[in-house]
Amino acid sequence: MARHPMMAANWKMNKTVREAEEYTAALLPRAADAEEEVDVAVCVPLTCLHEVGRMAEDSAVMAGAQNFYYEDSGAYTGEVSAPMLLDVGARVVIVGHSERREVFGETDEMVARKAKRAVEADLLPIICVGETKEERDAGGMWEKVSDQVRQVIEELEDAGGESIVFAYEPIWAIGTGETATPEDAQDAIGRIRDLLRETKGDDFADTVRILYGGSVKPENAAEIMAQKDVDGALVGGASLEVESFVELIWAAQNAVAQTEN
Ligand code: PEP
């Protein structure tokens, strides 16, 4: 079963509203050219989300946030909820990015609860999993990643494969310029899909999209996108310039064309 690839930008803590407007205005027509083959998401700071959500409303580009809290309202100073994100046009949200886990202390349990709440609210969560360099060097990559994936799927219960996206993001490759080899990306992502097949069945495993993230750039995207289980990428640094993000969308589009030939 062919899955629709996704190219998702993570701007992290970058861009003013004016910069976001300029970027989105440039991106929309370019992304429209690829919309048949590639889903495009732009996960922006909350201050820009309302404007990006408004501009992208009638387009194929999905505006997204980088985090949220799983309660809907209440005494949670500094947080925003799923209904608040929907209210300003978000359609996707990154959940459990390693920077949230490492800098802000998010636990696997919180990540799983956020994933569940996003699905219930009809927001597409991009759920990040991945190991540190020390864990990989000690041979513990799979133990770490499989544990993270299991905790999410146990919490999700009946959600279908199309209602979530996983992103395998080895922490040592994020923002470092050090990319996993295409074979390493395929190995980890293929194992995640096998685990989902064992635990959730064929339908789920064949429809769920699993992205790679970690120093993806125009020069290395084609090889990564060509891997059989890699369904796209979550991109930080190389998504900040619209031209390089568009090149990544083309790489995903070309990968689709090559699979069809
Ligand atoms: C990310 O922020 O999820 C990411 C993969 O960043 P970068 O592409 O800069 O490594």
Side-chain angles (χ1 to χ4, degrees):
M1 186 185 306
R3 292 174 296 274
H4 211 62
M6 171 181 271
M7 194 52 68
N10 174 16
W11 289 358
K12 312 196 190 203
M13 197 171 70
N14 291 291
K15 296 197 188 294
T16 61
V17 175
R18 158 105 28 125
E19 288 164 344
E21 276 169 357
E22 285 170 6
Y23 183 111
T24 309
L27 175 65
L28 291 180
R30 318 284 290 279
D33 291 342
E35 74 179 61
E36 304 262 301
E37 296 94 10
V38 186
D39 281 351
V40 176
V42 200
C43 299
V44 306
L46 289 174
T47 46
C48 305
L49 185 54
H50 188 268
E51 187 54 17
V52 174
R54 187 192 64 74
M55 291 177 77
E57 196 176 2
D58 296 318
S59 80
V61 172
M62 294 183 282
Q66 300 167 12
N67 180 38
F68 77 112
Y69 194 56
Y70 48 73
E71 298 293 348
D72 281 358
S73 62
Y76 303 103
T77 301
E79 295 293 330
V80 297
S81 67
M84 290 171 178
L85 294 184
L86 291 165
D87 191 37
V88 290
R91 292 158 65 191
V92 306
V93 61
I94 298 172
V95 170
H97 191 281
S98 60
E99 288 151 17
R100 298 292 322 165
R101 295 176 188 261
E102 295 208 316
V103 185
F104 300 100
E106 284 193 17
T107 61
D108 286 346
E109 193 194 335
M110 289 167 79
V111 171
R113 288 181 73 170
K114 289 182 183 198
K116 180 177 189 193
R117 182 66 199 115
V119 171
E120 285 167 357
D122 218 9
L123 268 172
L124 182 65
I126 301 176
I127 306 154
C128 302
V129 297
E131 81 287 358
T132 62
K133 180 91 181 120
E134 294 69 40
E135 287 161 343
R136 170 165 281 257
D137 290 348
M141 180 280 280
W142 183 239
E143 191 183 337
K144 170 78 177 288
V145 171
S146 58
D147 215 48
Q148 291 177 323
V149 171
R150 273 182 213 280
Q151 294 208 38
V152 168
I153 54 178
E154 274 165 23
E155 187 77 23
L156 284 176
E157 296 163 1
D158 295 337
E162 71 295 333
S163 61
I164 64 167
V165 173
F166 277 106
Y168 168 64
E169 298 209 309
I171 296 170
W172 45 271
I174 298 180
T176 59
E178 198 181 336
T179 323
T181 63
E183 294 73 26
D184 286 342
Q186 167 58 36
D187 173 58
I189 291 177
R191 288 166 83 166
I192 295 172
R193 199 176 304 285
D194 289 345
L195 171 63
L196 295 172
R197 195 174 299 286
E198 275 161 36
T199 51
K200 304 285 287 181
D202 286 342
D203 265 8
F204 191 98
D206 288 333
T207 51
V208 67
R209 286 175 292 182
I210 312 176
L211 314 181
Y212 168 77
S215 298
V216 172
K217 35 190 181 282
E219 305 85 79
N220 59 24
E223 264 194 300
I224 294 171
M225 295 302 113
Q227 302 303 309
K228 118 174 148 40
D229 284 295
V230 177
D231 298 319
L234 177 58
V235 188
S239 74
L240 288 175
E241 294 295 330
V242 73
E243 286 307 320
S244 78
F245 188 51
V246 166
E247 282 188 50
L248 295 174
I249 297 170
W250 289 340
Q253 205 178 8
N254 286 339
V256 175
Q258 270 162 25
T259 326
E260 282 166 359
N261 289 333

